[in-house]
Amino acid sequence: MTHICMLAAENDVIPGGKVGGIGDVVRDIPKALASQGAIVTVLIPAYGAFHQLPGATPVGVCTAVFRGRTERVEIYELFAGRDKGVRYLVAHHPLFAIGGKGRVYCNDEDNQPFATDANKFALFCVASLRAIKEGLIEPVDVLHLHDWHTGLAAALLKYDPDYQTLKPLRVAFSIHNLALQGIRPFAGHESSLQGWFPHLIYNPVELADPRWPQCVNPIATAVRIADVVHTVSPTYATEIVQANDNAKGFHGGEGLERDLQQAASLGKLTGIINGIDYDTPVEGRLDWSAFMRSAADEMLKLMARRPDLRSLDYVAHQRLLRWQQQTRPAHIITGVGRLTDQKMALLLQPLPDGSIPLDLMLDSLKGRGMLLLLGSGDAQLEQHCRVIAARHTHFLFLNQYSEKLSNLLFSNGDLFLMPSSFEPCGISQMLAMRQGQPVLAHAVGGLCDTISDNVDGFLFSGDSMPAQATQMLDRFDAVLELREKRPDDFCDIAARARAQRFEWHDSATRYLSELYS
């Protein structure tokens, strides 16, 4: 049986172990692989918290050379025996909790991006290899690295003599989000390759960022060294071998297109779509009053957890209560996701006349529908949404992170908005479709691979950001008109969305044949 060891920053099996899509993948794909006969070990940092969860069992202590010193890193197992064929491990060291207990990522100043996270993930990479070498993890056949956080493990395997016995390992590298690359200097800073591994003798050309040759790029390193490079959708794999074109709003290889072209030419770049869980029961659609009441109750709970009362939370809560007393609008538009430029740029892209697409959508909805947007993230984007919400009482901006609210919106909306500028795979569109809610999406990345235009959803495109925003508005109005004038046709599209299946079993089959064989 093939034994795969996955190194990642997140794992949603662990309470608090998810921030983004990596957590979903690392939660689900190991079980799907194990169901097909593989053995999977998943290792992530404990972030000062996960090793203290009930039932955590010490596995042992490994010693890793880091910053010229020998560091002791403790390995713990969680949920032993819960999922057949899968082990969940966490690595504990004080550095992994540098951002605060249980905090996965840190926010560094703009003049030293990734510095704090790069420190802890560099230690995590070397400690993981040490745990394998010292036998704390059973003999491994495949080392599967996820995103920039684990990319340096590929460099250590190749260049650190301490890990030469592990060189026969097959190395698979998954790109979840190419926009984040973890770039740091080679030297001259505490958070640098030389700072972490002063003993390492390496070829800088193989580790350097193609734009800043004085810096190490963990993603570029892994792309060059790994045996196989994997993206989380087929279309994204075709997009990232092309250069970015900011004028057209096209996100391609984010500066790494030549390395990715080389990987493609060697036949080691492949795209496999992610899946979602269809076995766990999901909440059904509620009547209008129950929907608004449930959302208001959850908002109140979230507000109570904060030490201060924010005006935007109060406004959102009051609007939910007021809408509960009214008749259900004809159109319930929903959106769920992190507030980042990737997710929000098209909604806030100024048009030639100075108008904002999100404002225009809300103008179109006035008197006929409402928009519920759930998300948090970039402070400036939050402020934009707050200002727009002040102008439109039928815009409910829920500035929170909440699984309960997410599920309510997936279950009770009529149309889901996902106008991502780029999308490696996307999961929200699958979750909305599972609930019979068609998606209006930008025709990029995994959105192309999961939505068929006018069949089970709606797509738009354009050769510039203003053109994309304009087409988004046109399609939005057309979909509203379709729901109003041809409701049976819209219901057919919704039914086909609900019937779509993106199974992890299918993805796992391709992992075994294309990534691990």
Side-chain angles (χ1 to χ4, degrees), residues 154-422:
L156 294 170
L157 276 177
K158 181 164 185 176
Y159 289 112
D160 193 329
D162 198 30
Y163 304 108
Q164 294 307 292
T165 57
L166 301 182
K167 286 190 75 171
L169 288 178
R170 180 172 176 82
V171 178
F173 179 63
S174 286
I175 298 171
H176 297 269
N177 190 344
L178 198 56
L180 302 175
Q181 298 178 14
I183 302 167
R184 295 302 302 155
F186 273 119
H189 194 283
E190 179 190 33
S191 180
S192 66
L193 190 67
Q194 188 178 68
W196 305 320
F197 311 115
H199 65 283
L200 198 65
I201 299 174
Y202 56 87
N203 176 5
V205 174
E206 195 161 32
L207 276 57
D209 183 274
R211 299 148 295 187
W212 299 285
Q214 73 280 15
C215 292
V216 59
N217 184 316
I219 286 191
T221 295
V223 167
R224 295 162 187 160
I225 294 175
D227 297 293
V228 62
V229 179
H230 157 242
T231 70
V232 288
S233 73
T235 296
Y236 192 58
T238 66
E239 291 173 348
I240 61 176
V241 297
Q242 305 172 58
N244 288 25
D245 190 334
N246 293 330
K248 295 184 177 181
F250 177 75
H251 293 259
E254 301 286 359
L256 302 187
E257 51 275 0
R258 290 187 180 179
D259 291 302
L260 293 159
Q261 290 167 8
Q262 177 69 8
S265 71
L266 294 173
K268 69 174 196 175
L269 176 64
T270 187
I272 303 172
I273 196 73
N274 287 340
I276 61 171
D277 174 23
Y278 291 95
D279 295 329
T280 304
V282 294
E283 187 173 343
R285 185 176 287 255
L286 302 174
D287 67 61
W288 174 247
S289 179
F291 172 34
M292 289 290 100
R293 183 174 63 252
S294 296
D297 289 347
E298 177 65 10
M299 274 297 297
L300 192 60
K301 290 177 184 178
L302 296 169
M303 291 160 62
R305 293 174 189 166
R306 293 183 61 91
D308 57 330
L309 176 61
R310 301 188 305 174
S311 61
L312 82 165
D313 291 332
Y314 178 77
V315 169
H317 179 255
Q318 289 301 302
R319 285 184 178 174
L320 286 165
L321 293 178
R322 290 179 184 177
W323 276 102
Q324 182 188 352
Q325 305 303 320
Q326 300 179 36
T327 304
R328 185 191 193 277
H331 307 290
I332 307 301
I333 314 302
T334 63
V336 175
R338 289 280 296 166
L339 298 188
T340 62
D341 283 337
Q342 172 196 357
K343 306 290 187 180
M344 296 296 296
L346 287 178
L347 287 172
L348 300 174
Q349 167 68 33
L351 296 173
D353 63 0
S355 60
I356 303 298
L358 182 53
D359 262 323
L360 297 177
M361 284 182 164
L362 291 163
D363 287 340
S364 181
L365 272 177
K366 190 172 183 179
R368 59 206 287 231
M370 66 185 299
L371 169 62
L372 296 101
L373 176 63
L374 172 67
S376 61
D378 182 271
Q380 188 174 3
L381 295 176
E382 290 181 348
Q383 175 62 16
H384 280 306
C385 291
R386 187 159 42 238
V387 169
I388 293 173
R391 294 197 289 266
H392 303 276
T393 59
H394 57 300
F395 177 30
L396 277 66
F397 175 42
L398 311 177
N399 187 207
Q400 300 284 348
Y401 173 79
S402 165
E403 289 291 328
K404 173 69 173 178
L405 287 174
S406 296
N407 291 333
L408 282 170
L409 267 58
F410 288 132
S411 301
N412 291 280
D414 299 318
L415 179 69
F416 190 85
L417 285 182
M418 200 160 177
S420 306
S421 295
F422 65 95

Side-chain angles (χ1 to χ4, degrees), residues 2-6 41 132 139-145 168-172 228 515-517:
T2 301
H3 181 197
I4 303 117
C5 181
M6 292 190 176
T41 298
I132 295 172
V140 173
D141 301 301
V142 179
L143 186 65
H144 191 152
L145 310 176
L169 288 178
R170 180 172 176 82
V171 178
V228 62
L515 304 187
Y516 303 151
S517 63

Side-chain angles (χ1 to χ4, degrees), residues 40-51:
V40 186
T41 298
V42 182
L43 176 60
I44 74 167
Y47 302 113
F50 303 153
H51 67 297

